Amino acid sequence: MFGPLRRVKFLVTAPFIVLMLLVINVMTSPGERWVQWAAFGTGIAWVINLFKLIRDVIRLGGLAAFGTYL
């Protein structure tokens, strides 16, 4: 029940986390780009989470349609 809500929350908050890390990176070490690795890992998690959310929405829609059919 709370899985889809947590997925949506992550999809919204993850870009802000990467943006905050980018600001920290620019302020602390402007010549080095370590933030790209954090953004890469977060991006992979974001895409996986998006596909899981789509799967959950399809399942819930199917269950709702089946319930309506019955």
Side-chain angles (χ1 to χ4, degrees), residues 1 6 11 13 17 23 28 30-31 33 35 39-40 45 47 52 57-59 67-70:
M1 177 178 174
R6 290 174 59 187
L11 290 177
T13 58
I17 293 170
V23 170
T28 58
R33 294 270 178 134
V35 72
F40 182 67
V47 169
K52 287 184 178 183
V57 168
I58 290 171
R59 283 184 182 170
T68 304
Y69 178 73
L70 292 179

Side-chain angles (χ1 to χ4, degrees), residues 22-36:
L22 176 67
V23 170
I24 292 171
N25 184 80
V26 170
M27 290 175 63
T28 58
S29 55
E32 298 179 23
R33 294 270 178 134
W34 54 261
V35 72
Q36 66 187 0

Side-chain angles (χ1 to χ4, degrees), residues 1-5 53-68:
M1 177 178 174
F2 295 109
L5 296 177
L53 178 66
I54 291 170
R55 182 194 65 196
D56 290 345
V57 168
I58 290 171
R59 283 184 182 170
L60 288 174
L63 288 175
F66 183 68
T68 304

